[in-house]
Amino acid sequence: NEIGEEKTWSCGGGGFSDHFGTPEFQKNHVEKYIKTANLPNSNLWNASGRGYPDISALGGTKAPYCVVAHGYGVGVSGTSASCPVAAGVFSKLNGIRIS
């Protein structure tokens, strides 16, 4: 899928765990989601597993984040670059919620 010069990634990681059951605090939300979402065939995922999201930020190599490392501008990409961005967004949102 093309979006401008970037491509979307079709192999996201969100879904339902095969190793951890659904915790109590998620049960109502997961049950509602399973009933209302347009999901693949149920044999392809674990309906009793813990739900976990997949979020994204710029992670591609076509237009990487520009950072300065050792005095030089370099491009970084992938989850190693996207994770700090997502953490920064969450921090800003939490700050807004607290204020």
Side-chain angles (χ1 to χ4, degrees):
N1 301 328
E2 293 273 345
I3 299 177
E5 295 183 18
E6 281 292 311
K7 282 189 171 186
T8 59
W9 187 33
S10 61
C11 299
F16 298 96
S17 176
D18 287 330
H19 304 285
F20 301 100
T22 308
E24 282 299 318
F25 72 89
Q26 280 190 353
K27 284 192 177 180
N28 290 337
H29 301 289
V30 169
E31 288 171 6
K32 182 179 177 184
Y33 178 76
I34 289 171
K35 287 178 185 174
T36 60
N38 183 16
L39 299 171
N41 292 334
S42 60
N43 65 324
L44 299 174
W45 49 277
N46 180 10
S48 64
R50 176 187 194 105
Y52 62 94
D54 183 19
I55 61 167
S56 62
L58 178 64
T61 57
K62 281 186 161 186
Y65 290 105
C66 297
V67 299
V68 175
H70 305 291
Y72 297 96
V74 296
V76 296
S77 61
T79 54
S80 298
S82 299
C83 185
V85 170
V89 169
F90 293 153
S91 177
K92 291 294 254 183
L93 291 172
N94 282 334
I96 291 167
R97 292 179 68 201
I98 290 170
S99 64

